Amino acid sequence: MSSPDVIVIGAGPSGISMAYTLKHKLGFDDFTIYEKLDGVGGTWRTNTYPGVGCDVPTILYSFHFNLNPDWSKELCDGPEILEYMESTVDKFDIRKHCHFEIECLGAKWDERRAMWDVRFTDTRTGEEFTRSTKVFISAVGGISYPRDVQFQGMERFQGPMFHTARWDHSYDYTGKRMAVIGNGCSAAQVVPKVVEKAAFVKQYARSPQWYHERPNRNFTALETAAFRFIPLWERWQRLKLFLDNDDLVSTYMPGPKATVKRAKVEDHARRYIFSRAPKKYHHFLIPDFPLGCKRRIFDPNYLDALNAPNLDVVPEGIQEIDETGIVSSSGVRNDFDVIILATGFQVQQFLTPMEVIGKQGKSLNQQWKEHRGAQAYMGSHVHNFPNFAILFGPNTFPAHNSALFACEVQIEYVARTLLKPLIDRQADVIEVKSTAENQWVNSIHAQLKGSVFQAGCSNWYINEFGRNAASWPGYASTYWKETCIPRFGVFRYEGGSSLWFLRTLSRWIRTTSGTTYGLGVLLVLAGLYRRNAGFRDGLRQAVKGFVTRARSIAAR
């Protein structure tokens, strides 16, 4: 098998979008996607627990190049989103580029050859192999590897114990005693479902959350018809949803105005929680940290489920797990048949568990430790790692907007700054300068100071060094604007061809759509019509002749 010019790791949403950009926007076919799972979809293939769904309106959580008029409701469930991912891959002929059940172990930059040597293992056969490539792109996403917590004695438990991202569908929990550890988004989705079948559910919810109503209705036949048949209608609805969601960020910023606005939203959330949850839980459901310090939860009927007689929630952690049950922090012991770990993901551990070695033999993990956490210029480019890009990388996570939007913005930026220059041979090696990277990252952390993201609560934004390497500090629209601003002297170029502009011209001709050419012709004709009297007279005569001829034919 010949080595591809571009290797993409991950066939989740960001990997699919990158494949579309390479194939259909850049007219570039020499790429391969390696995926450790048995199909596309990423987090939507990994997370199949009961109740899994999206907390962002699905019209907004969709690819800009493949809007779906057939969404069943405002906030769709996981299986419907996965089906959309599958259909997108087939619609745009991406599947033939994918190799499934192949896990990336790591990669090493060879300075002499200016190539990446990428190591893989076939998860079915155990065979390890290496592929070389000019460009290495990580699209593994932030919700890829579960956070494996360690509790004393957990290895002794004799019943089933599994993470929500590794849900065992062969296990029937009907009539069983179940423990759910955690109370983030996945726990809030799981609990309302499992209480319907389990004999008893006890949730260990050590930290409170801010809950908000989550209106979620089915689309009517009329709305679906409008999405399908009225030009640009769904795009207009998508834009409005984007702007509404982006406006939520104004409550998270430092300053008196944001504080006043945040207080109003907190009061609304407080009243909503009190109106839904049993009074016995009111004393620990309301957080003592500001709104946004943890990701807000738009309630998937979780608060209503707290009224179920077979559910008990305790605001405690775990002291110990033994052969048959759990001892809570306060020493209370309960027996369980099954334990569910709703403990989230290793969001801060970008590229886990790959080991990526850059220039001079330095690993990416070591370089990031020296900087007290993951960092990358525009969340994408890392110095000492040429021809390499990260999608959904450090400090690109939008507060409460579509993660898919952030990924697509990043992909457009990577295409413009890395892929196009390499494809056109403007350079053979491209690397961001360390000074540019550090200055950009410092500016991001300066903006994060005083925001609710660093208000002292325990959240997945803050890493082991106390540094927020996940959050984008402002509006999602601001990130888009940042990537659109031309900046010179940021990258170091090596090699390339003096005739690169001819390759650029060729690519433009190949990838420009017929619609664009048609609009260009219309603009030229309009300009001639406005400025050239002879052209106007000639056009009038041509139209008159055409009409006369048409009437003559009709009269026969």
Side-chain angles (χ1 to χ4, degrees):
M1 175 181 174
S2 62
S3 297
D5 276 352
V6 177
I7 282 179
V8 180
I9 306 301
S14 56
I16 294 170
S17 186
M18 173 54 78
Y20 171 83
T21 297
L22 283 163
K23 190 176 184 70
H24 297 281
K25 287 190 174 182
L26 301 182
F28 185 79
D29 238 21
D30 196 6
F31 67 92
T32 302
I33 301 174
Y34 290 96
E35 169 58 60
K36 70 177 186 294
L37 302 177
D38 61 354
V40 302
T43 186
W44 302 108
R45 198 170 204 90
T46 298
N47 290 278
T48 60
Y49 58 81
V52 62
C54 190
D55 63 356
V56 172
T58 324
I59 288 177
L60 182 55
Y61 188 87
S62 55
F63 298 113
H64 77 280
F65 56 86
N66 189 30
L67 298 192
N68 178 20
D70 297 319
W71 292 120
S72 64
K73 52 188 176 182
E74 291 179 320
L75 298 154
C76 290
D77 297 330
E80 188 172 352
I81 298 173
L82 179 59
E83 183 182 350
Y84 166 71
M85 298 288 169
E86 294 272 15
S87 66
T88 299
V89 165
D90 291 328
K91 180 178 179 179
F92 295 98
D93 196 27
I94 293 169
R95 196 176 296 274
K96 68 183 183 183
H97 295 273
C98 300
H99 291 265
F100 300 115
E101 297 179 280
I102 304 292
E103 183 171 7
C104 181
L105 303 176
K108 186 174 183 179
W109 174 253
D110 186 322
E111 293 191 60
R112 183 181 61 81
R113 293 160 52 230
M115 299 279 282
W116 283 100
D117 293 320
V118 190
R119 297 183 297 112
F120 298 95
T121 181
D122 187 320
T123 59
R124 284 185 293 181
T125 66
E127 187 72 22
E128 293 191 9
F129 59 94
T130 300
R131 294 286 180 263
S132 297
T133 183
K134 292 180 181 176
V135 185
F136 180 47
I137 297 175
S138 168
V140 298
I143 308 177
S144 178
Y145 274 84
R147 188 166 68 92
D148 291 320
V149 294
Q150 295 296 321
F151 298 110
Q152 182 179 339
M154 65 187 300
E155 72 283 352
R156 291 186 288 155
F157 185 67
Q158 296 177 356
M161 180 189 302
F162 46 86
H163 194 278
T164 51
R166 300 178 180 129
W167 195 271
D168 184 357
H169 291 276
S170 67
Y171 180 76
D172 184 5
Y173 55 87
T174 303
K176 301 295 175 62
R177 294 174 59 84
M178 175 182 287
V180 177
I181 300 175
N183 68 326
C185 294
S186 56
Q189 292 176 335
V190 163
V191 168
K193 295 296 183 180
V194 297
V195 295
E196 296 174 359
K197 294 171 60 177
F200 177 72
V201 178
K202 193 178 189 75
Q203 183 187 6
Y204 294 87
R206 187 174 58 180
S207 177
Q209 304 279 358
W210 285 107
Y211 296 94
H212 309 264
E213 58 265 57
R214 183 181 186 255
N216 189 18
R217 61 178 183 82
N218 291 335
F219 289 121
T220 65
L222 183 61
E223 287 175 305
T224 300
F227 293 150
R228 180 174 293 279
F229 298 114
I230 299 179
L232 303 180
W233 179 252
E234 189 172 6
R235 290 202 179 274
W236 169 242
Q237 297 301 314
R238 190 171 186 261
L239 176 61
K240 289 198 297 183
L241 287 168
F242 173 82
L243 295 174
D244 288 344
N245 277 266
D246 217 25
D247 186 57
L248 295 173
V249 179
S250 61
T251 62
Y252 305 151
M253 299 297 101
K257 287 185 178 180
T259 301
V260 171
K261 190 171 184 178
R262 186 163 58 245
K264 290 181 179 179
V265 180
E266 288 175 351
D267 183 61
H268 182 83
R270 189 178 294 108
R271 284 186 279 113
Y272 172 73
I273 294 170
F274 287 163
S275 71
R276 295 285 183 174
K279 193 171 183 178
K280 64 179 179 178
Y281 296 140
H282 287 186
H283 67 286
F284 67 79
L285 278 177
I286 304 300
D288 58 0
F289 51 79
L291 181 83
C293 186
K294 288 190 175 189
R295 185 172 176 87
R296 295 158 67 177
I297 296 179
F298 292 88
D299 182 20
N301 300 320
Y302 170 75
L303 296 179
D304 287 340
L306 297 183
N307 293 281
N310 62 332
L311 174 63
D312 183 32
V313 183
V314 292
E316 297 184 29
I318 308 300
Q319 182 184 124
E320 182 184 9
I321 298 177
D322 59 26
E323 288 81 1
T324 59
I326 294 176
V327 181
S328 71
S329 307
S330 63
V332 178
R333 187 187 179 284
N334 290 97
D335 283 326
F336 297 104
D337 300 305
V338 56
I339 298 175
I340 306 300
L341 303 173
T343 52
F345 293 83
Q346 300 180 42
V347 179
Q348 289 285 346
Q349 303 298 316
F350 296 89
L351 279 71
T352 300
M354 295 186 290
E355 183 184 39
V356 181
I357 309 295
K359 292 168 63 176
Q360 300 168 348
K362 175 168 283 191
S363 76
L364 186 59
N365 285 333
Q366 179 59 39
Q367 180 165 307
W368 280 348
K369 283 181 180 178
E370 294 171 4
H371 289 88
R372 292 175 293 175
Q375 68 172 49
Y377 181 75
M378 291 290 181
S380 307
H381 301 292
V382 185
H383 73 279
N384 285 332
F385 294 81
N387 294 7
F388 171 63
I390 307 170
L391 303 183
F392 208 32
N395 293 116
T396 61
F397 290 47
H400 284 288
N401 217 311
S402 172
L404 201 49
F405 170 82
C407 285
E408 291 195 316
V409 168
Q410 209 172 4
I411 287 165
E412 289 292 325
Y413 180 72
V414 168
R416 187 170 68 253
T417 57
L418 179 68
L419 297 174
K420 286 181 182 178
L422 291 175
I423 290 171
D424 297 343
R425 289 293 314 282
Q426 189 175 351
D428 293 322
V429 177
I430 298 176
E431 179 192 351
V432 69
K433 296 179 181 178
S434 61
T435 51
E437 178 189 321
N438 289 326
Q439 288 169 18
W440 185 84
V441 171
N442 288 342
S443 73
I444 293 300
H445 286 281
Q447 294 174 58
L448 284 168
K449 284 183 179 178
S451 69
V452 296
F453 305 120
Q454 296 182 255
C457 69
S458 173
N459 60 38
W460 52 262
Y461 308 136
I462 309 300
N463 66 16
E464 59 187 304
F465 304 104
R467 199 167 188 237
N468 187 339
S471 301
W472 172 251
Y475 298 96
S477 55
T478 305
Y479 180 61
W480 169 73
K481 292 173 188 174
E482 279 277 305
T483 63
C484 291
I485 298 172
R487 290 179 170 86
F488 302 99
V490 169
F491 295 96
R492 183 179 294 107
Y493 286 71
E494 294 178 16
S497 167
S498 58
L499 300 177
W500 63 268
F501 60 91
L502 295 177
R503 295 172 66 94
T504 301
L505 180 62
S506 172
R507 178 173 54 76
W508 282 351
I509 293 171
R510 285 185 292 107
T511 58
T512 301
S513 67
T515 302
T516 303
Y517 282 124
L519 289 172
V521 170
L522 286 174
L523 288 172
V524 171
L525 292 176
L528 289 172
Y529 185 85
R530 183 180 179 184
R531 295 175 179 273
N532 192 308
F535 179 79
R536 286 197 298 271
D537 291 340
L539 184 62
R540 290 192 190 104
Q541 291 297 322
V543 172
K544 185 177 180 180
F546 175 79
V547 171
T548 302
R549 178 65 176 164
R551 286 174 177 171
S552 175
I553 294 172
R556 295 175 187 172

